[in-house]
Amino acid sequence: MTKTISVTATAEQAPGAKPDAATTTPVKLKRGRPPKSATKPPAADTDTGATLEPAAKRRRTYTKRAKATENGTSLGMDEGVFFTNRLSALEADTTQFVPGDEDISMFEEARAAACISEGGVDGGGTTPSTPSALASTVGYQAKKIQLGSYVIDSWYLSPFPDEYSRHNLLYVCEYCLKYMKSEFTFKRHCQRCEQRHPPGDEIYRDDNISVFEVDGRKNKIYCQNLCLIGKMFLDTKTLYYDVEPFLFYILCENDSQGYHFAGYYSKEKRSSMGYNLSCIMILPSKQREGYGKLLIEFSYLLSKKESVPGSPEKPLSDFGLLSYRSYWRRAIYEILLACDGAVSIDYLAAQTGMTIDDIISTLQTDGMLHRMPGTPGSYAIVADAKKIREYVNKAQEKSPRRIDPCKLRWAPFLIKAPPSAAPTNRRRSTSTALAVNNSLVNITSDNENDK
């Protein structure tokens, strides 16, 4: 609801004179509101009580000052108000913080010196122009680790977090594998760390050698640290943080102080390809002591316990292929020396836990498979007993450490259903019966050949 009032907008008039009709303008106003011509009083500062300028004027003042700062000039107090008169013109002037040519040259010299100290400058002596280019040129990585009483050089780049990768030396606890970037933190951790062995179950112990089985799902942090350390010495390793589908077998040397980490290997819990080993690593300080072949032999012992032939994950690295061929040759030769009569490949697979493909590959590499004349598709194993015996004796002298199956305390992670289990349908029962009959025929024929 509105009402109309008359507002006089004219000069002074004589007392008692009536207003001119031409200068009287009707204005419609809403009830409860002042006329539009009314202005608000200027705001006052709550602290000082000083009258503040309108917001529009303050914005214009700040804009004017920003433009002046860009041009390298400064404004005086008479040209504008800075922070409601709380700062003087000298205090509000920010032009002195703009880097000049001398500042830029000092920064370039410091950055070049940092590149040289980190070994990141190329032969031409050029320096990168951006921080990202600087990081890629320097190649930040942990170049050494201190593990126990050893300081070990890194072979390959390992994806440690950024704050750790920028340090040349990382300190690693040999019991819990936690890595630290300062010696003080490392010493304090060693005094407080109560762990003296890897988390998990000790499934094998022989003299001062122990093997622990660690589940990647139950001990995720430990296994991730283990993979980061392993990547420092493995070029083809690509798994670091997704450790839940894997089991880790940790090789340790035990003494009165605890169990000291020496190496490990990992395998998938459910391998569709039948792999019994995914990754294997022995610390450089513990190499040339037979630990690599010891872990390979241990992986095949578990495969025989599972009654499933196993094979390492392909493709193998150069060092891995040499180690595995050496172990395959030794395992096959020992079986051949122990048998007097004919030996089949199925018998070798059952005794060694190896797959038929690995056995055939080893025999072909050594030239021990010969085609039988007159029977197409048939081959015979022909071996020189003297050469085999010499190789086995030399291998035993070189690496006397062996796995004793009697000292293993372990149950398979996945239990295979026995062949005599009740079938769920007719088709599955038929295939199971055929598989059992075939295996019995193979074993029987091998025993007959031995006789």
Side-chain angles (χ1 to χ4, degrees):
M1 180 177 180
T2 60
K3 66 179 181 178
T4 304
I5 63 174
S6 297
V7 179
T8 303
T10 182
E12 296 182 358
Q13 297 179 356
K18 295 183 179 180
D20 189 3
T23 60
T24 303
T25 305
V27 179
K28 293 184 178 181
L29 298 177
K30 293 184 179 181
R31 178 174 295 178
R33 290 191 177 185
K36 292 185 177 179
S37 60
T39 57
K40 295 182 179 180
D45 192 351
T46 56
D47 296 335
T48 62
T51 303
L52 300 180
E53 297 180 353
K57 186 176 181 180
R58 291 200 303 270
R59 285 196 295 268
R60 288 195 300 269
T61 303
Y62 296 154
T63 305
K64 185 178 180 181
R65 171 160 182 79
K67 291 181 178 179
T69 303
E70 292 178 0
N71 298 330
T73 61
S74 60
L75 296 176
M77 288 298 295
D78 56 338
E79 299 181 5
V81 179
F82 307 99
F83 302 100
T84 64
N85 290 332
R86 296 184 182 181
L87 295 180
S88 64
L90 182 60
E91 294 173 341
D93 186 12
T94 59
T95 57
Q96 57 182 334
F97 303 110
V98 177
D101 296 338
E102 184 180 358
D103 300 326
I104 295 176
S105 62
M106 291 176 59
F107 172 75
E108 293 293 342
E109 292 176 2
R111 184 169 64 176
C115 289
I116 295 174
S117 63
E118 295 290 340
V121 176
D122 57 4
T126 59
T127 58
S129 57
T130 61
S132 59
L134 174 64
S136 61
T137 304
V138 175
Y140 291 118
Q141 62 170 323
K143 298 179 181 179
K144 298 179 181 180
I145 60 170
Q146 179 175 336
L147 187 63
S149 58
Y150 298 95
V151 177
I152 309 172
D153 293 332
S154 172
W155 295 356
Y156 304 101
L157 174 65
S158 184
F160 283 97
D162 247 1
E163 55 180 320
Y164 295 92
S165 298
R166 296 178 179 273
H167 294 264
N168 291 333
L169 176 63
L170 292 182
Y171 301 87
V172 182
C173 176
E174 60 180 335
Y175 302 113
C176 66
L177 299 187
K178 180 181 179 181
Y179 50 88
M180 289 146 279
K181 54 188 178 182
S182 68
E183 185 178 4
F184 174 77
T185 307
F186 172 69
K187 290 182 178 180
R188 185 176 60 180
H189 170 81
C190 292
Q191 294 175 357
R192 299 183 179 183
C193 184
E194 299 179 354
Q195 189 170 339
R196 285 297 177 265
H197 60 80
D201 302 324
E202 184 179 11
I203 60 177
Y204 181 84
R205 182 189 294 181
D206 184 9
D207 197 12
N208 67 328
I209 300 298
S210 297
V211 179
F212 287 79
E213 183 183 54
V214 181
D215 191 345
R217 183 181 63 85
K218 297 180 180 179
N219 305 277
K220 190 173 182 179
I221 301 299
Y222 179 89
C223 296
Q224 287 177 350
N225 296 342
L226 183 65
C227 291
L228 289 175
I229 296 174
K231 175 56 183 172
M232 301 181 74
F233 312 104
L234 296 173
D235 187 21
T236 57
K237 184 173 180 58
T238 57
L239 177 70
Y240 319 114
Y241 297 105
D242 186 18
V243 297
E244 296 183 3
F246 291 86
L247 292 172
F248 295 83
Y249 296 89
I250 317 299
L251 178 67
C252 300
E253 295 178 343
N254 58 69
D255 56 15
S256 59
Q257 297 180 355
Y259 294 79
H260 307 278
F261 173 72
Y264 82 99
Y265 83 89
S266 62
K267 74 170 185 177
E268 292 182 272
K269 298 176 183 178
R270 297 175 179 268
S271 178
S272 58
M273 304 297 293
Y275 294 142
N276 64 352
L277 186 143
S278 298
C279 173
I280 183 172
M281 188 277 296
I282 304 296
L283 289 176
S285 57
K286 300 297 181 181
Q287 292 180 1
R288 314 295 296 180
E289 297 185 18
Y291 287 150
K293 292 181 182 178
L294 195 73
L295 285 181
I296 293 175
E297 184 179 2
F298 187 81
S299 67
Y300 280 105
L301 175 61
L302 300 188
S303 296
K304 288 190 288 185
K305 283 285 186 178
E306 293 175 333
S307 301
V308 177
S311 179
E313 186 173 336
K314 309 296 192 307
L316 291 171
S317 62
D318 296 336
F319 289 107
L321 184 60
L322 291 175
S323 300
Y324 263 95
R325 280 184 176 174
S326 177
Y327 171 77
W328 289 339
R329 186 177 292 112
R330 176 178 176 176
I332 294 175
Y333 285 3
E334 288 177 348
I335 300 298
L336 294 178
L337 286 179
C339 298
D340 296 333
V343 178
S344 68
I345 293 181
D346 291 331
Y347 180 76
L348 291 176
Q351 293 297 316
T352 60
M354 298 165 52
T355 60
I356 294 178
D357 293 339
D358 293 338
I359 295 175
I360 293 177
S361 174
T362 304
L363 295 177
Q364 284 181 341
T365 303
D366 296 344
M368 299 173 62
L369 277 183
H370 296 268
R371 186 187 299 270
M372 296 180 63
T375 55
S378 299
Y379 293 81
I381 302 175
V382 180
D384 188 350
K386 182 179 180 181
K387 292 182 178 180
I388 292 177
R389 189 174 293 105
E390 291 178 356
Y391 180 86
V392 172
N393 294 336
K394 185 177 180 180
Q396 291 177 353
E397 294 176 358
K398 187 176 180 180
S399 55
R401 295 182 181 272
R402 301 300 299 271
I403 292 293
D404 187 359
C406 299
K407 297 182 180 180
L408 178 66
R409 300 292 182 268
W410 179 79
F413 183 78
L414 296 176
I415 302 176
K416 186 178 180 181
S420 59
T424 56
N425 54 53
R426 185 179 301 274
R427 179 174 297 179
R428 180 173 297 181
S429 64
T430 304
S431 62
T432 304
L434 290 175
V436 174
N437 292 336
N438 288 336
S439 62
L440 289 176
V441 169
N442 291 335
I443 296 175
T444 305
S445 62
D446 294 336
N447 292 336
E448 291 177 355
N449 293 333
D450 295 342
K451 292 179 181 179

